[in-house]
PDB file of all heavy atoms in Angstrom:
ATOM      1  N   ASP A 205      27.295 -63.581  59.547  1.00  0.00           N
ATOM      2  CA  ASP A 205      26.641 -62.407  60.131  1.00  0.00           C
ATOM      3  C   ASP A 205      26.973 -61.118  59.375  1.00  0.00           C
ATOM      4  O   ASP A 205      26.285 -60.107  59.525  1.00  0.00           O
ATOM      5  CB  ASP A 205      27.050 -62.272  61.604  1.00  0.00           C
ATOM      6  CG  ASP A 205      26.208 -61.247  62.343  1.00  0.00           C
ATOM      7  OD1 ASP A 205      24.958 -61.327  62.231  1.00  0.00           O
ATOM      8  OD2 ASP A 205      26.764 -60.362  63.007  1.00  0.00           O
ATOM      9  N   ASP A 206      28.006 -61.154  58.532  1.00  0.00           N
ATOM     10  CA  ASP A 206      28.435 -59.951  57.806  1.00  0.00           C
ATOM     11  C   ASP A 206      27.834 -59.844  56.409  1.00  0.00           C
ATOM     12  O   ASP A 206      28.033 -58.839  55.721  1.00  0.00           O
ATOM     13  CB  ASP A 206      29.965 -59.920  57.701  1.00  0.00           C
ATOM     14  CG  ASP A 206      30.634 -59.778  59.060  1.00  0.00           C
ATOM     15  OD1 ASP A 206      30.047 -59.106  59.930  1.00  0.00           O
ATOM     16  OD2 ASP A 206      31.725 -60.341  59.257  1.00  0.00           O
ATOM     17  N   ILE A 207      27.083 -60.863  55.989  1.00  0.00           N
ATOM     18  CA  ILE A 207      26.441 -60.824  54.669  1.00  0.00           C
ATOM     19  C   ILE A 207      25.534 -59.596  54.553  1.00  0.00           C
ATOM     20  O   ILE A 207      25.404 -58.986  53.492  1.00  0.00           O
ATOM     21  CB  ILE A 207      25.631 -62.118  54.426  1.00  0.00           C
ATOM     22  CG1 ILE A 207      26.584 -63.310  54.276  1.00  0.00           C
ATOM     23  CG2 ILE A 207      24.747 -61.991  53.197  1.00  0.00           C
ATOM     24  CD1 ILE A 207      25.879 -64.657  54.160  1.00  0.00           C
ATOM     25  N   ARG A 208      24.921 -59.210  55.659  1.00  0.00           N
ATOM     26  CA  ARG A 208      24.003 -58.060  55.646  1.00  0.00           C
ATOM     27  C   ARG A 208      24.695 -56.786  55.185  1.00  0.00           C
ATOM     28  O   ARG A 208      24.093 -55.947  54.492  1.00  0.00           O
ATOM     29  CB  ARG A 208      23.391 -57.861  57.035  1.00  0.00           C
ATOM     30  CG  ARG A 208      24.433 -57.727  58.134  1.00  0.00           C
ATOM     31  CD  ARG A 208      23.826 -57.838  59.530  1.00  0.00           C
ATOM     32  NE  ARG A 208      24.852 -57.923  60.527  1.00  0.00           N
ATOM     33  CZ  ARG A 208      24.870 -57.222  61.667  1.00  0.00           C
ATOM     34  NH1 ARG A 208      23.890 -56.382  61.934  1.00  0.00           N
ATOM     35  NH2 ARG A 208      25.839 -57.366  62.530  1.00  0.00           N
ATOM     36  N   PHE A 209      25.981 -56.609  55.553  1.00  0.00           N
ATOM     37  CA  PHE A 209      26.707 -55.409  55.130  1.00  0.00           C
ATOM     38  C   PHE A 209      26.982 -55.429  53.627  1.00  0.00           C
ATOM     39  O   PHE A 209      26.897 -54.390  52.959  1.00  0.00           O
ATOM     40  CB  PHE A 209      28.028 -55.285  55.904  1.00  0.00           C
ATOM     41  CG  PHE A 209      27.844 -55.037  57.374  1.00  0.00           C
ATOM     42  CD1 PHE A 209      28.180 -56.006  58.304  1.00  0.00           C
ATOM     43  CD2 PHE A 209      27.312 -53.840  57.837  1.00  0.00           C
ATOM     44  CE1 PHE A 209      28.006 -55.793  59.663  1.00  0.00           C
ATOM     45  CE2 PHE A 209      27.133 -53.617  59.192  1.00  0.00           C
ATOM     46  CZ  PHE A 209      27.485 -54.590  60.109  1.00  0.00           C
ATOM     47  N   ILE A 210      27.297 -56.608  53.101  1.00  0.00           N
ATOM     48  CA  ILE A 210      27.549 -56.736  51.665  1.00  0.00           C
ATOM     49  C   ILE A 210      26.269 -56.418  50.893  1.00  0.00           C
ATOM     50  O   ILE A 210      26.292 -55.685  49.892  1.00  0.00           O
ATOM     51  CB  ILE A 210      28.029 -58.163  51.315  1.00  0.00           C
ATOM     52  CG1 ILE A 210      29.202 -58.587  52.209  1.00  0.00           C
ATOM     53  CG2 ILE A 210      28.395 -58.253  49.849  1.00  0.00           C
ATOM     54  CD1 ILE A 210      30.379 -57.652  52.195  1.00  0.00           C
ATOM     55  N   LYS A 211      25.137 -56.934  51.372  1.00  0.00           N
ATOM     56  CA  LYS A 211      23.863 -56.672  50.708  1.00  0.00           C
ATOM     57  C   LYS A 211      23.433 -55.214  50.859  1.00  0.00           C
ATOM     58  O   LYS A 211      22.826 -54.638  49.945  1.00  0.00           O
ATOM     59  CB  LYS A 211      22.779 -57.593  51.288  1.00  0.00           C
ATOM     60  CG  LYS A 211      22.852 -59.035  50.783  1.00  0.00           C
ATOM     61  CD  LYS A 211      21.765 -59.882  51.422  1.00  0.00           C
ATOM     62  CE  LYS A 211      21.675 -61.261  50.783  1.00  0.00           C
ATOM     63  NZ  LYS A 211      20.920 -61.248  49.538  1.00  0.00           N
ATOM     64  N   ALA A 212      23.730 -54.607  52.005  1.00  0.00           N
ATOM     65  CA  ALA A 212      23.367 -53.210  52.221  1.00  0.00           C
ATOM     66  C   ALA A 212      24.122 -52.291  51.265  1.00  0.00           C
ATOM     67  O   ALA A 212      23.586 -51.269  50.811  1.00  0.00           O
ATOM     68  CB  ALA A 212      23.654 -52.805  53.664  1.00  0.00           C
ATOM     69  N   LEU A 213      25.340 -52.663  50.944  1.00  0.00           N
ATOM     70  CA  LEU A 213      26.155 -51.863  50.020  1.00  0.00           C
ATOM     71  C   LEU A 213      25.831 -52.153  48.559  1.00  0.00           C
ATOM     72  O   LEU A 213      25.713 -51.229  47.741  1.00  0.00           O
ATOM     73  CB  LEU A 213      27.646 -52.133  50.271  1.00  0.00           C
ATOM     74  CG  LEU A 213      28.237 -51.619  51.582  1.00  0.00           C
ATOM     75  CD1 LEU A 213      29.619 -52.231  51.825  1.00  0.00           C
ATOM     76  CD2 LEU A 213      28.347 -50.087  51.555  1.00  0.00           C
ATOM     77  N   SER A 214      25.678 -53.427  48.217  1.00  0.00           N
ATOM     78  CA  SER A 214      25.518 -53.815  46.808  1.00  0.00           C
ATOM     79  C   SER A 214      24.063 -53.983  46.389  1.00  0.00           C
ATOM     80  O   SER A 214      23.758 -54.048  45.189  1.00  0.00           O
ATOM     81  CB  SER A 214      26.270 -55.117  46.538  1.00  0.00           C
ATOM     82  OG  SER A 214      25.730 -56.186  47.299  1.00  0.00           O
ATOM     83  N   GLY A 215      23.139 -54.072  47.367  1.00  0.00           N
ATOM     84  CA  GLY A 215      21.737 -54.263  47.055  1.00  0.00           C
ATOM     85  C   GLY A 215      21.382 -55.729  46.875  1.00  0.00           C
ATOM     86  O   GLY A 215      22.218 -56.620  46.986  1.00  0.00           O
ATOM     87  N   ASP A 216      20.108 -55.967  46.585  1.00  0.00           N
ATOM     88  CA  ASP A 216      19.606 -57.327  46.381  1.00  0.00           C
ATOM     89  C   ASP A 216      18.483 -57.256  45.347  1.00  0.00           C
ATOM     90  O   ASP A 216      17.363 -56.845  45.657  1.00  0.00           O
ATOM     91  CB  ASP A 216      19.090 -57.904  47.695  1.00  0.00           C
ATOM     92  CG  ASP A 216      18.716 -59.377  47.586  1.00  0.00           C
ATOM     93  OD1 ASP A 216      18.545 -59.867  46.457  1.00  0.00           O
ATOM     94  OD2 ASP A 216      18.589 -60.040  48.631  1.00  0.00           O
ATOM     95  N   ALA A 217      18.800 -57.646  44.119  1.00  0.00           N
ATOM     96  CA  ALA A 217      17.835 -57.529  43.024  1.00  0.00           C
ATOM     97  C   ALA A 217      16.578 -58.353  43.273  1.00  0.00           C
ATOM     98  O   ALA A 217      15.473 -57.950  42.898  1.00  0.00           O
ATOM     99  CB  ALA A 217      18.491 -57.951  41.708  1.00  0.00           C
ATOM    100  N   SER A 218      16.734 -59.505  43.909  1.00  0.00           N
ATOM    101  CA  SER A 218      15.571 -60.382  44.130  1.00  0.00           C
ATOM    102  C   SER A 218      14.527 -59.730  45.034  1.00  0.00           C
ATOM    103  O   SER A 218      13.337 -60.035  44.940  1.00  0.00           O
ATOM    104  CB  SER A 218      16.020 -61.717  44.725  1.00  0.00           C
ATOM    105  OG  SER A 218      16.550 -61.540  46.022  1.00  0.00           O
TER     106      SER A 218
END
Side-chain angles (χ1 to χ4, degrees):
D205 191 50
D206 295 327
I207 291 175
R208 55 193 171 134
F209 294 111
I210 309 305
K211 283 179 171 279
L213 291 167
S214 63
D216 187 343
S218 66

